Amino acid sequence: MTPAEPQIERGAIEPALAEEFPSLTLLYCVIAARAGRSPRAVRDQLKHLSDRLYGERAIKMRREPVAHAYRVFFRHIGLDPDESRTPAEALVVERLRAGRFASGGLVEDAVTIATIETGAALRAIDAGAIDGKLGLRGSRPGERLGGGAGMPLPAGTIVVADRRRPLCPLFGELASISDVSRASRRVALCAVGVDGVPSLVVEEGLWKCATIIAAES
């Protein structure tokens, strides 16, 4: 049976953010998924990507249009892309360090494959932790990551949030409650678009990630 097309939603962008970054977008879809071991077909895809990606390719990658656009956006929000690496670059650096793309389970591997193949900034969130729709906004004074006793957030940090609380900084670590685990049964796959990244790239990354998971779950 062919997996159903993922239903992609557009996250709300806080007006102040939309004014400052008119091209900033958040697309996401919620799908059934289990975060268990990747099947052989997915692990083979990871191995193929590992074999294709050498040091020279990694060095050139940051000058490619999509990668460069994310690096520029990082600087605009106060992140040094050589210190806090963009999603695709972080994966490439880890591949070079480890000598391969190590399998981390179906959801993580699908995010890795889709990120490397399209360049889109992707992440997965445990949908069971989400209350309402997702969107992007600035964190408020005194807010903590995930609410409750989570890590304090500097006011104005751009976060992915539901209607009650911030779930993660835009390009930072997830709150523990939002992390995909073996207990997860649904995941929200998120893709971030910025100025200079074509919308088709963002949509393709999200679609590719979702279909890898749906085909194997």
Side-chain angles (χ1 to χ4, degrees):
M1 181 181 296
T2 303
E5 288 282 334
Q7 298 299 305
I8 296 176
E9 298 192 51
R10 183 175 292 270
I13 310 295
E14 186 178 56
L17 275 181
E19 183 176 356
E20 186 175 4
F21 304 110
S23 299
L24 181 61
T25 57
L26 175 69
L27 300 182
Y28 69 97
C29 62
V30 177
I31 63 171
R34 292 181 180 271
R37 185 171 186 263
S38 285
R40 179 63 178 270
V42 174
R43 286 183 280 122
D44 284 348
Q45 286 187 68
L46 278 182
K47 183 179 183 303
H48 179 63
L49 284 180
S50 295
D51 293 343
R52 279 171 41 197
L53 212 112
Y54 295 96
E56 183 180 357
R57 168 72 174 83
I59 292 169
K60 291 180 177 178
M61 181 181 185
R62 65 177 54 189
R63 295 194 292 270
E64 295 172 358
V66 170
H68 178 71
Y70 283 116
R71 289 176 64 86
V72 169
F73 182 78
F74 266 44
R75 292 192 180 97
H76 284 168
I77 62 174
L79 297 175
D80 180 349
D82 293 322
E83 299 273 342
S84 301
R85 300 188 188 277
T86 64
E89 284 188 56
L91 289 170
V92 169
V93 168
E94 178 58 23
R95 178 260 177 264
L96 295 177
R97 186 199 66 79
R100 62 191 176 97
F101 288 118
S103 178
L106 177 58
V107 174
E108 182 178 325
D109 293 352
V111 170
T112 295
I113 292 167
T115 299
I116 294 299
E117 289 193 347
T118 68
L122 303 167
R123 76 181 324 148
I125 298 173
D126 183 353
I130 298 172
D131 184 355
K133 304 288 188 179
L134 294 179
L136 298 178
R137 63 171 174 82
S139 59
R140 295 155 190 151
E143 272 196 315
R144 291 176 175 269
L145 187 60
M151 180 185 72
L153 290 165
T157 301
I158 303 176
V159 294
V160 179
D162 61 17
R163 66 182 176 185
R164 290 197 301 121
R165 60 196 173 192
L167 300 173
C168 59
L170 182 56
F171 295 107
E173 293 295 320
L174 285 166
S176 58
I177 61 166
S178 310
D179 210 4
V180 177
S181 70
R182 288 186 176 273
S184 302
R185 292 297 176 263
R186 294 184 307 138
V187 296
L189 302 174
C190 305
V192 175
V194 301
D195 187 34
V197 177
S199 58
L200 283 177
V201 168
V202 181
E203 292 171 10
E204 181 187 3
L206 192 59
W207 180 86
K208 182 178 290 288
C209 187
T211 51
I212 290 170
I213 294 170
E216 304 294 347
S217 292

